[in-house]
Amino acid sequence: MTDFSSALSVAASGMRSQAERITHVSENIANADTPGYRRKVVSFEPMRGFDQAQGMVQTGEVRLDRRELPRIYDPGHPMADETGHYPGSNVDMVVELSDAREAQRSYEANLRVFDQIRQMSSSLNDLLRR
Amino acid sequence: MDIRNSLAIAAYGQTGLRPQGQMLADPSSGQMQAGQIFANAVERFGATLAEGEAQSIAAMTTGADPHALVTALAQTELAVETAVTVRDRVVEAYQEILRMPV
């Protein structure tokens, strides 16, 4: 049974990481029009620790995208400089939407794995019950 | 999930083993090992149930991570199913012995 329970933990760690990823994606989308906002990029790394099951995943440090901020022309804007430009956010909606979709797909894959493990363990128990 | 149930199981895991250990002390060491293995299994079972309850309480009161709750509940379900199945088999075998024509 330890195989099944560690596999369940690994699948749950994948789901947790994807949930955190979609949190950052939603922050990016919410701040798409915030002047000077840099989009947050989340990375995945293997979890390290003595009591953790092998092969679990966790999200690493959140980094900010270093791409240059677009300069938006709007002389009436309070943050506009002498040329009439102000720095916008470097969030690209298409990138964020595809990232959100990818997080959803990965989450579903982990969910399926979780369900599959449960089914496998219950069929093993059925075999024992016969 | 009733808390008292799993407390009883945990208590059983701790107390039910001592007489068994004493009983199995003199026969061969193989039986002793079997008793020890069973003791450890029951203790782990109690720990799994306690973990599931702790996660449920945390999720309902403090809004803890739902993934941890789902994992803990799935593991509890797995442990309970296994324990029930093994118990049924043991009882079945015992009844089979009782049905023996004397």
Side-chain angles (χ1 to χ4, degrees):
Chain A
M1 284 300 147
T2 50
D3 284 341
F4 285 135
S5 45
S6 60
L8 284 175
S9 307
V10 171
S13 79
M15 285 193 274
R16 199 178 302 124
S17 306
Q18 297 298 339
E20 199 174 326
R21 176 186 185 182
I22 199 105
T23 308
H24 294 306
V25 169
S26 68
E27 284 170 7
N28 289 342
I29 291 178
N31 283 293
D33 291 329
T34 308
Y37 181 84
R38 290 179 181 274
R39 70 181 280 259
K40 290 176 179 168
V41 183
V42 66
S43 63
F44 293 86
E45 52 189 43
M47 196 182 280
R48 292 193 180 80
F50 292 111
D51 55 339
Q52 307 294 350
Q54 291 289 312
M56 284 168 79
V57 66
Q58 68 179 3
T59 49
E61 220 173 301
V62 176
R63 285 179 319 230
L64 298 177
D65 196 339
R66 288 191 182 168
R67 257 186 321 153
E68 207 172 322
L69 297 175
R71 295 179 59 74
I72 298 167
Y73 181 70
D74 185 3
H77 197 274
M79 286 174 72
D81 54 11
E82 55 272 8
T83 61
H85 290 81
Y86 72 93
S89 77
N90 60 0
V91 176
D92 188 353
M93 275 296 182
V94 177
V95 173
E96 297 305 324
L97 283 179
S98 60
D99 210 21
R101 190 57 63 88
E102 201 184 323
Q104 185 191 358
R105 292 277 179 260
S106 304
Y107 191 92
E108 276 173 12
N110 279 302
L111 205 60
R112 293 278 150 75
V113 168
F114 197 91
D115 202 29
Q116 183 93 42
I117 296 161
R118 281 183 54 172
Q119 283 176 15
M120 281 167 69
S121 63
S122 68
S123 25
L124 186 66
N125 269 329
D126 285 346
L127 197 68
L128 197 63
R129 208 170 286 150
R130 220 169 278 162
Chain B
M1 201 185 303
D2 194 353
I3 289 175
R4 253 178 287 165
N5 258 352
S6 71
L7 285 181
I9 288 159
Y12 176 74
Q14 282 161 4
T15 56
L17 304 179
R18 259 173 239 132
Q20 201 178 16
Q22 286 163 7
M23 200 172 62
L24 293 174
D26 7 318
S28 63
S29 61
Q31 272 180 319
M32 175 68 191
Q33 273 181 350
Q36 200 61 44
I37 288 166
F38 183 68
N40 292 340
V42 173
E43 246 170 55
R44 274 206 305 274
F45 177 64
T48 308
L49 255 62
E51 166 76 14
E53 274 159 17
Q55 288 290 351
S56 319
I57 291 167
M60 273 180 247
T61 54
T62 62
D65 184 23
H67 298 105
L69 172 67
V70 171
T71 317
L73 286 185
Q75 281 177 353
T76 309
E77 188 188 1
L78 193 62
V80 170
E81 261 184 29
T82 312
V84 167
T85 312
V86 169
R87 183 207 59 184
D88 287 352
R89 294 295 288 201
V90 168
V91 169
E92 203 178 297
Y94 190 68
Q95 282 177 338
E96 197 66 37
I97 292 170
L98 284 184
R99 256 185 252 126
M100 185 172 55
V102 185

